[in-house]
Amino acid sequence: MKKLHCDVVILGSGISSTIQGMILAKSGLSVILLEKGSHPKFTIGESTVPQTSLMMSVLATRYGVPEIAHLQSFQSVKTHISPSSGIKKNIGFVYHHKSKPVSCKEFNQTSVGSKFHAECHLFRQDIDVYMLQTAIRYGCKVFQNTRINNINIHDQGIRVSTNNFNVSAQYIIDGTGHSSLVAQLLNLRDKPCTLETHSRSIFTHMIDVKSFDSCVAKNCMAPSPWNQGTLHHLFDGGWLWVIPFNNHETANNHLISVGLTLDTRKFPKSADISPEEEFYKIIQGYPDIIKQFSNAKPVREWVSTDRIQYTSKKCVGARFCLLSHSTGFVDPFFSRGLYNTLETINSLSRTLLNAFKNNTFSDTHFNSVEVLQQGLISWNDKLVDGAYISFSSFKLWNAWLRIWLLSSSYGVLRIINALAKYSETKDIQFLESLDTMDIPGAMAPNSINIMDLFSNAYNVIKKVESDQSSIDEASKYIFSMLLSSERYAIPIFPFQHEDKHVADIRPIAHLKLLYWMKFQAPIRVRQKYLNFKLSTMKKVISG
Amino acid sequence: MKKLHCDVVILGSGISSTIQGMILAKSGLSVILLEKGSHPKFTIGESTVPQTSLMMSVLATRYGVPEIAHLQSFQSVKTHISPSSGIKKNIGFVYHHKSKPVSCKEFNQTSVGSKFHAECHLFRQDIDVYMLQTAIRYGCKVFQNTRINNINIHDQGIRVSTNNFNVSAQYIIDGTGHSSLVAQLLNLRDKPCTLETHSRSIFTHMIDVKSFDSCVAKNCMAPSPWNQGTLHHLFDGGWLWVIPFNNHETANNHLISVGLTLDTRKFPKSADISPEEEFYKIIQGYPDIIKQFSNAKPVREWVSTDRIQYTSKKCVGARFCLLSHSTGFVDPFFSRGLYNTLETINSLSRTLLNAFKNNTFSDTHFNSVEVLQQGLISWNDKLVDGAYISFSSFKLWNAWLRIWLLSSSYGVLRIINALAKYSETKDIQFLESLDTMDIPGAMAPNSINIMDLFSNAYNVIKKVESDQSSIDEASKYIFSMLLSSERYAIPIFPFQHEDKHVADIRPIAHLKLLYWMKFQAPIRVRQKYLNFKLSTMKKVISG
């Protein structure tokens, strides 16, 4: 049997494996990727948020791989990769009551871009192939259709045997996700999974899903058409994503990604009904959702999962790391999966390159990666669990949404600040500063007590779940906290005003934002998050 | 087990199955497609020739499915589907001697388009998905990831059982190609295969294959850059295709399709060497070929086949049809595979729609489809076999090439004439006239003795193979035949002049062509092939 040698062997060839691979190869390590299937492949994980895109910039800049930054906006994806991805100018949430049309007061929308710079609905089969080719260009050796027979992880190194050859390496990274071989081998999965979130999903790609804008009364319109972003239909016990790829002038892709995600305790899975039948049975209850699907047809088989949460006791150890979704997963709500992956790659890359430099592969050397990954999962679980609880009423959801928006806005500002300072100084320590956080894996640093506010809000939401608090009380409490921290609120989205449901996207609002950043933001906010010239910001945001 | 009913069940969901499906669904039949894998998928069969594109127009027009005509040119594919396909402005052949640089006199090139209307390098994963979605829009029910357990073909109808459900139908079409379940079930494959061609193939998709134009001396240039078309490197015993998808300004696809096809008698397959090693071992012998691959990297595993020819004793019977590559296959040389598929679909569609109209599913009703498919394979075999024999010297290849070009040009004119007459009259009988040919499956009708000339040339080529004739004699004989039929030669490519190797693509040549068509072509040619107003031609060719 042929023998191959490399520094790092990576299992899988999805976007996490290839980004990790190209960074390590660019940094001088020899890398082999092993993939049991082959590209092109259907995958979900399509919708980016500003944190995702900014972390793409961080990785591209820090590790000298500009191709990663090609994923940082819809426009950049279209230019460098393909017009098959969709544009995401907004994140929209529409609340539905059983058997009732939507109310023009029960929706939220926040802006995440314009026709010049917007977030993206990544058409993964094309994106993943582009990243695979890029990894190959940087020198990664990729073997597809390769079945792994055995993995041996020992103090001196790694041995992997496949159906065609054997590989020896110094380190192994498992990027294969839920079915992670390393997690199986080392018996790392928590059983049962102790996350608070309990959800399952039914999803596919469809054609001829109507634009939701054509399904609701004109006076229900939000400032940005629903079709121009990621639409979330919310209802008690679940939510439905609608992610169009066909929503721009140059679109050549007719598909819309559609997925129904359900609280398993309110909607237990039954074997008696097909995924498609269940999908229609549930959306049938919501007259404005069913309108959107009156002519829709799936172009592939529906996937119906069991509970999608899983976690691991441990994700790094002597000479191995479970990368992101190989460690655990919460839920696609809030689109944090890919962002969490990039945070992990950022942290693991530095740690691993140091390990090779110093020939130190001990557990403790990698401890920061362990803490980061477990933190990312745990905080994401609270965020999503809070959302599912809040879906019981628009009033509660409308409060919890603000907590997500406030904390993730400060998460965004943290990265913008680092990129802006790097841009002004070319001092790499500003990017390296992102490696540590006072609360590892949290949505935002706690330097201005945002995460304390988050935890207080989560606690009161949990009281609603256990009937120790009413929805009205909880909502009132959350808004009162937001009002008392008004000075931290960023004046594009009026976080603290219960009756304001949309981000203001007029130019005047952006001027207000700049004025606030320069003159009104509290000194702690300016020191921590706005410590750069305003003129740098545009450069940073548009890459 | 769930039971489904339909008129026609089609196995496979590749381009032949979906085009067949959409035509039947549009014509009012209920159609189910069963696919064992799922899209997106890697497939080869990428390069179109004018016959392919014109037959797309015929099918689109005749059966009222305009989406089929979206495949009729590079420009149309780019507009309607994706910029991921490549442009094909020329068909190029470069002859190589072992260990020698190419000679500036040993190449041929023929023009098949311009930046306004050109043939296409179909990026199949995107094209096939577009056609799948179109079939679904026309009402086909498609089930992917569906394993077939049993097929029952009896006088009253068809029953197919799968892992998920059972299907009953009036008729079954197998579009799964080489591994055809119906061919296996009914034991229809010829064993051994009696075709004259003996070839095998080693292929993959690569990045960073150089443009061949940058690998040869400037004075070796052909009128159209090699990179703007399908390049065939020829050598004694085989040929190599180079099909770029990245050869236009709007390209977002970095891939180049690369395949080495070898005469199994001159290059027997060995188990001792990997496909990649064998590929490089062989091209190493040709200094100008190896230059083109000095930086190339595969993006997927190499495929190395055994002999690729196969045929079937029978391809239609009571209630079944093996569609095109399910019946047989010859070789990718001359790119006739997809054209043959479309000819078969054209013929089968009419026959099958009549069968449903009259409720007649007897063998004899479908006999014309049997004769057509067997004819297409048999004539293609002669064409390709002649080419492999001729690869022993440029002199002989240079003669055989003219036979291909002359016969296929008249094949093209046959379709242009039908489309043009239909365009002028809107009388469907002109399209229906394509259903019959005096020699079924031949490159061209024999009305002006083109196929007699073809057969004579093939006979003399076979004499070279059996050492009954020298290369010089054979070549001289073929050119003397061409000179004596000079009046039939079409004045863009100087078929009959041995020392002219390229099609004239200057505007003056096109004027000459029009003049010839109007005033100089023999009366038989004008009656049979040019029986339309010249002003119609442009409309027909550019769809």
Side-chain angles (χ1 to χ4, degrees):
Chain A
M1 191 79 102
K2 206 162 128 184
K3 281 185 186 169
L4 304 171
H5 303 277
C6 63
D7 294 319
V8 181
V9 61
I10 300 180
L11 309 186
S13 68
I15 198 168
S16 62
S17 298
T18 52
I19 292 180
Q20 184 64 78
M22 65 185 81
I23 287 174
L24 298 178
K26 166 75 186 189
S27 304
L29 299 185
S30 59
V31 180
I32 287 177
L33 274 75
L34 304 177
E35 163 65 47
K36 73 174 170 184
S38 76
H39 290 271
K41 291 207 230 189
F42 168 73
T43 317
I44 58 167
E46 296 153 334
S47 191
T48 69
V49 288
Q51 290 103 304
T52 327
S53 300
L54 289 163
M55 277 307 292
M56 299 276 189
S57 281
V58 169
L59 291 174
T61 308
R62 182 171 182 184
Y63 296 106
V65 186
E67 290 85 350
I68 300 174
H70 291 167
L71 305 189
Q72 77 183 346
S73 71
F74 162 74
Q75 289 78 1
S76 174
V77 165
K78 198 180 88 166
T79 303
H80 294 287
I81 306 173
S82 163
S84 59
S85 290
I87 193 166
K88 178 178 179 180
K89 292 185 194 165
N90 71 68
I91 308 178
F93 303 94
V94 178
Y95 192 83
H96 298 263
H97 295 268
K98 200 98 194 250
S99 308
K100 284 191 189 154
V102 293
S103 147
C104 293
K105 291 181 175 170
E106 295 188 341
F107 64 78
N108 317 88
Q109 188 184 75
T110 179
S111 164
V112 286
S114 67
K115 68 174 174 171
F116 305 110
H117 182 90
E119 292 303 318
C120 194
H121 295 156
L122 299 172
F123 188 52
R124 289 291 300 275
Q125 69 183 63
D126 288 357
I127 300 297
D128 288 17
V129 158
Y130 176 77
M131 296 315 265
L132 180 78
Q133 292 173 13
T134 304
I136 293 171
R137 284 218 165 109
Y138 278 97
C140 293
K141 301 277 175 226
V142 179
F143 298 89
Q144 300 185 68
N145 298 307
T146 299
R147 203 181 60 240
I148 291 174
N149 295 329
N150 195 30
I151 300 173
N152 193 318
I153 300 174
H154 55 102
D155 288 351
Q156 272 65 52
I158 308 296
R159 273 185 294 123
V160 180
S161 62
T162 79
N163 49 336
N164 292 319
F165 50 81
N166 295 324
V167 184
S168 65
Q170 292 293 311
Y171 197 82
I172 187 167
I173 297 173
D174 189 334
T176 56
H178 178 251
S179 60
S180 162
L181 286 174
V182 173
Q184 279 175 40
L185 178 76
L186 304 177
N187 197 21
L188 297 177
R189 287 277 182 266
D190 292 312
K191 284 186 188 161
C193 165
T194 57
L195 294 183
E196 295 293 322
T197 309
H198 285 70
S199 62
R200 64 187 180 93
S201 193
I202 302 172
F203 59 88
T204 190
H205 277 175
M206 304 186 92
I207 51 175
D208 299 336
V209 175
K210 288 185 189 147
S211 157
F212 189 62
D213 307 273
S214 70
C215 303
V216 282
K218 282 272 176 285
N219 62 356
C220 263
M221 292 295 187
S224 167
W226 299 111
N227 181 48
Q228 293 292 292
T230 302
L231 174 59
H232 305 70
H233 291 297
L234 312 179
F235 54 88
D236 188 10
W239 64 284
L240 170 66
W241 78 72
V242 180
I243 301 179
F245 300 110
N246 63 348
N247 61 352
H248 54 98
E249 274 174 23
T250 48
N252 55 35
N253 182 350
H254 302 282
L255 296 180
I256 296 99
S257 176
V258 170
L260 184 63
T261 308
L262 301 165
D263 190 313
T264 54
R265 295 157 302 188
K266 296 194 179 182
F267 292 95
K269 192 174 173 179
S270 153
D272 302 338
I273 186 166
S274 78
E276 182 165 35
E277 286 163 349
E278 188 176 19
F279 177 84
Y280 281 104
K281 186 180 157 194
I282 290 170
I283 69 169
Q284 209 73 51
Y286 305 97
D288 285 336
I289 300 183
I290 194 76
K291 267 188 215 162
Q292 193 173 13
F293 290 88
S294 62
N295 195 34
K297 306 158 198 84
V299 301
R300 48 189 313 110
E301 305 319 290
W302 289 87
V303 177
S304 175
T305 70
D306 293 316
R307 184 183 175 200
I308 55 184
Q309 290 73 41
Y310 57 93
T311 51
S312 299
K313 290 190 257 302
K314 190 174 156 73
C315 64
V316 294
R319 298 187 181 273
F320 76 86
C321 177
L322 306 181
L323 186 56
S324 194
H325 296 175
S326 297
T327 300
F329 186 73
V330 183
D331 189 280
F333 202 67
F334 295 124
S335 306
R336 290 184 72 84
L338 190 50
Y339 163 70
N340 289 350
T341 300
L342 299 174
E343 275 281 2
T344 305
I345 290 174
N346 188 35
S347 166
L348 175 62
S349 299
R350 174 189 52 90
T351 314
L352 191 54
L353 290 169
N354 281 336
F356 271 94
K357 213 159 114 190
N358 305 318
N359 197 24
T360 317
F361 294 91
S362 65
D363 265 41
T364 50
H365 180 73
F366 292 90
N367 192 48
S368 62
V369 181
E370 177 78 47
V371 173
L372 174 68
Q373 289 213 71
Q374 302 291 6
L376 287 167
I377 292 169
S378 159
W379 285 100
N380 197 13
D381 181 40
K382 291 185 175 65
L383 184 66
V384 172
D385 181 43
Y388 275 93
I389 297 169
S390 79
F391 293 163
S392 61
S393 83
F394 179 75
K395 200 178 178 73
L396 197 56
W397 157 250
N398 191 34
W400 185 246
L401 164 88
R402 316 306 169 109
I403 300 298
W404 162 65
L405 211 45
L406 184 65
S407 60
S408 58
S409 294
Y410 276 92
V412 166
L413 283 179
R414 163 181 172 260
I415 312 175
I416 287 181
N417 190 61
L419 280 167
K421 288 305 290 178
Y422 172 77
S423 169
E424 285 170 1
T425 62
K426 300 296 166 203
D427 185 345
I428 199 81
Q429 72 163 340
F430 288 105
L431 300 182
E432 290 172 350
S433 72
L434 294 172
D435 287 347
T436 51
M437 222 193 283
D438 47 8
I439 306 181
M443 278 80 226
N446 200 31
S447 49
I448 55 162
N449 308 107
I450 295 285
M451 294 314 295
D452 292 341
L453 189 151
F454 180 102
S455 296
N456 290 339
Y458 182 63
N459 289 339
V460 73
I461 281 262
K462 288 302 266 182
K463 284 190 183 155
V464 176
E465 189 185 33
S466 58
D467 286 330
Q468 295 172 273
S469 169
S470 75
I471 284 170
D472 281 352
E473 277 167 12
S475 165
K476 201 171 155 193
Y477 176 80
I478 291 173
F479 276 105
S480 72
M481 281 202 301
L482 287 164
L483 281 164
S484 72
S485 66
E486 182 152 14
R487 292 190 317 144
Y488 304 131
I490 302 162
I492 268 200
F493 195 99
F495 299 97
Q496 67 280 28
H497 298 300
E498 194 172 351
D499 57 340
K500 301 225 167 123
H501 297 163
V502 298
D504 191 344
I505 58 172
R506 291 168 306 168
I508 189 87
H510 289 93
L511 284 177
K512 260 198 226 168
L513 174 66
L514 292 179
Y515 188 82
W516 174 83
M517 288 170 72
K518 191 76 187 162
F519 302 111
Q520 293 183 311
I523 187 73
R524 276 207 292 162
V525 172
R526 272 184 277 172
Q527 276 173 353
K528 189 76 192 173
Y529 297 107
L530 307 169
N531 184 18
F532 53 86
K533 298 186 197 110
L534 289 183
S535 58
T536 315
M537 193 167 72
K538 200 181 158 207
K539 207 165 96 189
V540 167
I541 290 185
S542 61
Chain B
M1 190 79 100
K2 204 162 128 184
K3 281 185 187 169
L4 303 171
H5 302 277
C6 64
D7 293 319
V8 181
V9 61
I10 300 180
L11 309 186
S13 68
I15 199 168
S16 61
S17 297
T18 52
I19 292 181
Q20 183 65 76
M22 65 185 80
I23 287 174
L24 298 178
K26 166 74 187 189
S27 304
L29 299 186
S30 60
V31 179
I32 288 178
L33 274 75
L34 303 177
E35 164 63 49
K36 73 173 172 187
S38 76
H39 290 270
K41 290 208 230 190
F42 168 73
T43 317
I44 57 167
E46 296 152 333
S47 192
T48 68
V49 287
Q51 289 102 303
T52 327
S53 300
L54 289 163
M55 277 308 291
M56 300 277 189
S57 282
V58 169
L59 290 174
T61 309
R62 181 170 181 184
Y63 296 107
V65 186
E67 290 85 350
I68 300 174
H70 292 166
L71 306 188
Q72 76 182 346
S73 71
F74 162 74
Q75 289 78 2
S76 174
V77 165
K78 199 181 87 166
T79 303
H80 295 287
I81 306 173
S82 163
S84 59
S85 289
I87 193 166
K88 179 177 179 180
K89 293 185 194 165
N90 70 69
I91 308 178
F93 303 94
V94 178
Y95 192 82
H96 298 262
H97 295 269
K98 201 99 195 250
S99 308
K100 283 191 189 152
V102 292
S103 147
C104 294
K105 290 182 177 170
E106 295 190 341
F107 64 78
N108 316 89
Q109 189 184 75
T110 179
S111 165
V112 287
S114 67
K115 68 175 174 172
F116 305 110
H117 181 90
E119 292 303 317
C120 193
H121 295 156
L122 299 172
F123 189 52
R124 289 291 301 273
Q125 68 183 63
D126 288 356
I127 300 297
D128 287 16
V129 158
Y130 176 76
M131 295 316 264
L132 180 78
Q133 292 173 12
T134 304
I136 292 171
R137 283 219 167 108
Y138 278 97
C140 293
K141 302 278 174 224
V142 179
F143 298 90
Q144 299 185 69
N145 298 305
T146 299
R147 202 180 61 240
I148 291 174
N149 295 329
N150 195 31
I151 299 172
N152 194 318
I153 299 174
H154 55 104
D155 288 352
Q156 273 66 51
I158 307 296
R159 273 185 294 121
V160 180
S161 62
T162 79
N163 49 335
N164 292 318
F165 51 83
N166 296 325
V167 184
S168 66
Q170 292 293 312
Y171 197 83
I172 187 167
I173 297 173
D174 190 334
T176 56
H178 179 251
S179 60
S180 162
L181 287 174
V182 172
Q184 278 175 43
L185 177 76
L186 303 177
N187 197 23
L188 297 177
R189 288 276 183 266
D190 291 312
K191 282 185 188 161
C193 165
T194 56
L195 293 183
E196 296 292 322
T197 309
H198 285 70
S199 64
R200 65 188 180 94
S201 192
I202 303 173
F203 59 87
T204 190
H205 277 175
M206 304 187 93
I207 51 175
D208 298 335
V209 175
K210 288 184 189 147
S211 156
F212 189 62
D213 307 273
S214 71
C215 301
V216 282
K218 282 271 177 287
N219 60 357
C220 265
M221 293 295 186
S224 167
W226 299 110
N227 180 48
Q228 293 292 293
T230 302
L231 174 58
H232 305 70
H233 292 296
L234 312 180
F235 54 89
D236 188 9
W239 64 283
L240 171 65
W241 77 73
V242 181
I243 301 180
F245 300 110
N246 64 349
N247 61 351
H248 54 98
E249 274 176 21
T250 48
N252 55 34
N253 182 350
H254 302 282
L255 298 180
I256 297 98
S257 177
V258 171
L260 185 62
T261 307
L262 301 165
D263 190 313
T264 54
R265 294 157 302 188
K266 296 194 178 181
F267 292 95
K269 191 174 174 180
S270 154
D272 301 340
I273 186 167
S274 77
E276 182 165 34
E277 286 163 349
E278 188 177 19
F279 176 84
Y280 281 104
K281 187 180 157 195
I282 290 169
I283 70 170
Q284 209 74 50
Y286 305 97
D288 285 335
I289 300 184
I290 193 76
K291 267 188 215 163
Q292 193 173 15
F293 291 88
S294 63
N295 196 34
K297 306 159 198 83
V299 301
R300 50 189 312 111
E301 307 317 291
W302 289 86
V303 176
S304 175
T305 70
D306 292 317
R307 184 184 175 199
I308 55 183
Q309 290 73 40
Y310 56 94
T311 51
S312 299
K313 288 189 258 302
K314 191 175 156 71
C315 64
V316 294
R319 297 188 181 272
F320 76 86
C321 177
L322 306 181
L323 186 56
S324 195
H325 296 175
S326 297
T327 300
F329 186 73
V330 183
D331 189 281
F333 201 67
F334 295 123
S335 306
R336 290 185 71 85
L338 190 49
Y339 163 69
N340 288 350
T341 300
L342 299 174
E343 276 281 2
T344 305
I345 290 174
N346 188 36
S347 165
L348 176 62
S349 299
R350 174 189 52 91
T351 315
L352 191 55
L353 291 168
N354 281 337
F356 271 93
K357 212 159 113 190
N358 305 317
N359 197 24
T360 316
F361 294 92
S362 65
D363 266 41
T364 50
H365 179 73
F366 292 90
N367 193 48
S368 62
V369 180
E370 178 79 49
V371 173
L372 174 68
Q373 289 213 73
Q374 302 290 6
L376 287 166
I377 292 169
S378 159
W379 284 101
N380 196 14
D381 181 40
K382 290 184 176 66
L383 184 65
V384 172
D385 180 43
Y388 275 92
I389 297 168
S390 79
F391 293 164
S392 62
S393 84
F394 179 75
K395 200 178 179 72
L396 197 56
W397 157 251
N398 191 35
W400 185 245
L401 164 87
R402 315 307 168 108
I403 299 299
W404 162 66
L405 211 44
L406 184 65
S407 59
S408 58
S409 294
Y410 276 92
V412 165
L413 283 179
R414 164 181 170 258
I415 311 176
I416 287 182
N417 189 61
L419 280 167
K421 287 305 289 178
Y422 172 77
S423 168
E424 285 171 1
T425 62
K426 301 295 167 206
D427 184 344
I428 200 81
Q429 73 162 340
F430 288 104
L431 299 182
E432 290 171 352
S433 73
L434 294 171
D435 287 345
T436 51
M437 222 192 284
D438 47 8
I439 306 181
M443 279 79 226
N446 200 31
S447 48
I448 55 162
N449 309 107
I450 295 287
M451 294 314 294
D452 293 342
L453 188 152
F454 180 102
S455 296
N456 290 340
Y458 181 64
N459 289 340
V460 73
I461 282 262
K462 289 301 266 183
K463 283 190 183 155
V464 176
E465 189 185 33
S466 58
D467 286 329
Q468 295 172 271
S469 168
S470 75
I471 284 170
D472 282 352
E473 277 166 13
S475 164
K476 202 171 153 193
Y477 176 78
I478 290 173
F479 277 104
S480 73
M481 281 201 301
L482 286 164
L483 281 165
S484 72
S485 65
E486 182 153 14
R487 291 191 317 144
Y488 303 131
I490 302 163
I492 268 200
F493 196 98
F495 299 98
Q496 67 280 28
H497 298 299
E498 193 170 353
D499 56 340
K500 301 223 168 127
H501 297 161
V502 299
D504 192 343
I505 58 172
R506 291 168 306 169
I508 189 88
H510 288 94
L511 284 177
K512 260 198 226 168
L513 174 66
L514 291 179
Y515 188 83
W516 174 81
M517 287 171 73
K518 191 77 187 162
F519 302 111
Q520 293 184 311
I523 186 72
R524 275 208 292 163
V525 172
R526 273 186 276 173
Q527 277 171 353
K528 188 77 191 172
Y529 296 108
L530 306 170
N531 184 19
F532 54 85
K533 298 186 197 108
L534 289 183
S535 59
T536 314
M537 194 166 74
K538 202 181 157 205
K539 207 165 97 189
V540 166
I541 289 185
S542 61

